[in-house]
Amino acid sequence: MTLIKSISGIRGTIGGKPEEGFNPLAIVKFTAGYATFIRRRFSAATTRRIVVGRDARISGEMVKSIVTGTLTGMGFDVVDIGMATTPTTELAVVTERAAGGIILTASHNPRQWNALKLLNERGEFLNAEEGQEVLSLAEAEDFTFAGIDDLGKVITDSRYKERHIESILNLERVDVEAIRAARFRVAIDCVNSVGGTVIPDLLQALGVKEICRLHCNPHGNFSHNPEPLPEHLTEIAGLMTQAGADVGFAVDPDVDRLAIVCEDGRMFGEEYTLVAVSDYILSHTPGATVSNLSSSRALRDVAQRHGCPCYAAAVGEVNVVARMKETGAVIGGEGNGGVIYPASHYGRDALVGIALFLTHLAKKKMTVSELRASYPSWFMSKQKVELTPEIDVDAVLEQVKAKFAGCEITDIDGVKIDFPDRWVHLRKSNTEPIIRIYSEAPTQADADALGSELIQIIRAISRM
């Protein structure tokens, strides 16, 4: 059994002994720590509401019962929005004027995993300092449950799926008439999670002509590895030509990541979801863009085409959002298929990504493969190097930084080294003596070689 506690929340595999798995005792302790954090942040006179939503995992109902019971036992009213995507839950926090929210999802992890994702009153993830405070409260069991007269209650509201869709239809840059006129045939793979309850409804509301569905029954037995990577999406790739679909969309279990499939079954590329959507937004609303340090240089290239700046943030949605607010960015996100569109809300949202991409495609009057070919081609490699626990990983990274001192260096999150036609980004793992190495170059061979070169340099340094 596995239980991982970090500033971003708690996640793990279902079952096990109290400190060894994602089980009722662990869930109660961490939920109570979060409730204590919220109580200290807001007076009861301000708000007592916390929103709870969940994906379709088999353990979801069990986890929800424990979370809602703990929150009401801490004196909070729970707005239970039922099965809902991560972005839907984020929007619900703002609509309810709640003090925070908890999303019950382990994102792209397999079926035996679940997690608590913690939100602030803006429907955004807690930052590192806030997450550490929750973790400390939970570890110290520094919380007090409410007395009989101060218990909270559960309010059930199942209308947020429709509200989320309506908010997307009302976005200025979503052109429903253009999408309807294009008469798109769309294939979808919702991995038997919550996307199967909302994506078909969104597509119908957008006027899509025909929907070819894969794995849209939200029973939580994921049909394949739920991370939307090319090696896991062979079924929808094969369906494209068979069904005569114009475009394919695949999402992860909580619907904050969007993978796109071309009409011929080839992958559009998860890095290029944000690139394409940004191209569309910048063509109508010039402004800054933001992605994390490990995302493709293609976003910078497209931003430059539009005469717009592109900024980098440390890896992690909360860091991207903070940088977007600092720069007033009109679009941003992460290269894993996560689109953040502030005109909607500050959170990765595959539903918003679908609506904007279909609008872009309809107006371009291209096939998806033609649209992909219109963007600069970069190839990415993701590798890692394992070190012994005794090695000071931070010191190793400092020596790598010194070795490349003559290059363009960014060190807000590990070490990123930019060369004229390629880059490499080194980040240490928070849980293991591992350095993760992301590299990008004009060819896959070049990207792989650059990553391998850095692995050899790191190994040489660590042996000194």
Side-chain angles (χ1 to χ4, degrees):
M1 298 296 175
T2 302
L3 182 65
I4 300 172
K5 304 170 187 177
S6 71
I7 57 175
S8 59
I10 181 173
R11 63 188 173 97
T13 53
I14 296 297
K17 293 183 178 180
E19 290 299 319
E20 296 178 358
F22 193 81
N23 54 53
L25 287 178
I27 296 165
V28 168
K29 189 164 81 168
F30 205 83
T31 302
Y34 171 72
T36 302
F37 165 79
I38 294 295
R39 182 186 289 160
R40 293 179 179 181
R41 189 178 176 101
F42 295 98
S43 68
T46 305
T47 179
R48 285 170 47 123
R49 289 193 168 191
I50 293 177
V51 174
V52 175
R54 72 176 185 90
D55 70 12
R57 289 171 188 273
I58 296 168
S59 60
E61 276 294 346
M62 179 273 287
V63 176
K64 185 181 77 170
S65 297
I66 296 166
V67 168
T68 56
T70 302
L71 290 174
T72 56
M74 291 292 294
F76 284 91
D77 294 336
V78 175
V79 181
D80 175 10
I81 65 172
M83 203 178 293
T85 72
T86 284
T88 302
T89 309
E90 292 168 343
L91 284 166
V93 170
V94 177
T95 301
E96 292 289 334
R97 297 182 179 177
I102 302 180
I103 310 160
L104 314 180
T105 176
S107 190
H108 60 268
N109 287 94
R111 64 195 285 275
Q112 68 268 29
W113 289 76
N114 212 329
L116 310 182
K117 288 186 175 182
L118 309 178
L119 304 175
N120 62 23
E121 74 280 5
R122 297 182 299 277
E124 300 164 12
F125 291 112
L126 303 186
N127 61 33
E129 182 180 350
E130 293 164 341
Q132 184 57 58
E133 183 177 348
V134 172
L135 188 62
S136 298
L137 290 167
E139 289 300 315
E141 297 188 11
D142 186 12
F143 38 77
T144 303
F145 291 95
I148 188 65
D149 295 321
D150 296 313
L151 295 175
K153 61 182 180 295
V154 177
I155 306 158
T156 301
D157 192 333
S158 60
R159 299 169 293 172
Y160 271 98
K161 177 181 75 170
E162 290 76 19
R163 289 171 179 162
H164 191 177
I165 291 173
E166 186 64 28
S167 73
I168 293 170
L169 299 179
N170 289 332
L171 290 172
E172 181 183 3
R173 296 305 173 200
V174 172
D175 192 333
V176 177
E177 291 307 314
I179 295 170
R180 181 176 289 112
R183 298 177 62 80
F184 288 127
R185 287 187 174 89
V186 177
I188 57 174
D189 181 348
C190 299
V191 75
N192 294 129
S193 191
V194 66
T197 70
V198 62
I199 291 178
D201 289 357
L202 171 67
L203 293 175
Q204 288 172 357
L206 289 170
V208 165
K209 176 186 175 183
E210 185 178 343
I211 306 170
C212 307
R213 310 181 193 207
L214 279 176
H215 313 306
C216 288
N217 186 356
H219 51 59
N221 277 311
F222 302 146
S223 48
H224 52 76
N225 186 309
E227 187 168 13
L229 299 176
E231 57 266 33
H232 306 148
L233 302 178
T234 55
E235 196 171 356
I236 189 172
L239 176 64
M240 296 302 295
T241 54
Q242 176 187 338
D246 298 297
V247 61
F249 296 121
V251 295
D252 60 343
D254 66 326
V255 198
D256 61 358
R257 290 173 59 178
L258 175 63
I260 301 170
V261 188
C262 299
E263 77 288 347
D264 57 7
R266 290 181 298 152
M267 294 295 118
F268 194 76
E270 64 174 353
E271 292 286 334
Y272 284 81
T273 297
L274 176 60
V275 172
V277 172
S278 297
D279 181 30
Y280 169 61
I281 293 300
L282 295 178
S283 67
H284 295 276
T285 313
T289 63
V290 173
S291 63
N292 67 41
L293 286 172
S294 292
S295 295
S296 176
R297 190 178 280 187
L299 179 63
R300 186 196 67 178
D301 295 340
V302 167
Q304 288 177 343
R305 284 185 188 176
H306 292 282
C308 297
C310 182
Y311 298 100
V315 173
E317 180 175 326
V318 65
N319 299 315
V320 173
V321 167
R323 189 71 168 134
M324 289 178 71
K325 290 181 177 181
E326 289 172 9
T327 60
V330 296
I331 189 71
E334 298 185 287
N336 59 7
V339 173
I340 302 173
Y341 186 41
S344 174
H345 66 114
Y346 278 105
R348 295 183 304 177
D349 192 334
L351 303 175
V352 169
I354 287 171
L356 293 174
F357 184 85
L358 286 177
T359 302
H360 187 37
L361 190 63
K363 291 178 179 291
K364 281 288 188 179
K365 301 187 187 310
M366 292 178 171
T367 65
V368 178
S369 57
E370 288 170 342
L371 181 63
R372 174 63 179 82
S374 72
Y375 298 124
S377 280
W378 293 96
F379 294 83
M380 190 170 289
S381 176
K382 298 180 181 180
Q383 304 179 52
K384 65 182 179 181
V385 58
E386 298 184 8
L387 305 174
T388 63
E390 295 76 25
I391 291 175
D392 186 339
V393 177
D394 288 321
V396 170
L397 290 178
E398 280 299 317
Q399 290 186 62
V400 171
K401 180 179 170 182
K403 183 176 181 63
F404 289 91
C407 300
E408 181 183 344
I409 300 287
T410 306
D411 59 3
I412 59 173
D413 181 12
V415 176
K416 184 175 183 180
I417 308 162
D418 271 291
F419 304 97
D421 66 342
R422 62 200 64 197
W423 57 263
V424 61
H425 182 205
L426 290 68
R427 300 179 67 239
K428 74 170 185 174
S429 168
N430 292 324
T431 58
E432 306 170 86
I434 287 174
I435 296 176
R436 303 190 186 279
I437 301 171
Y438 304 84
S439 52
E440 189 176 58
T443 70
Q444 190 63 57
D446 287 342
D448 292 339
L450 179 58
S452 297
E453 178 187 347
L454 265 294
I455 288 176
Q456 295 307 313
I457 290 172
I458 290 168
R459 286 177 174 164
I461 291 172
S462 63
R463 286 194 294 266
M464 290 179 180

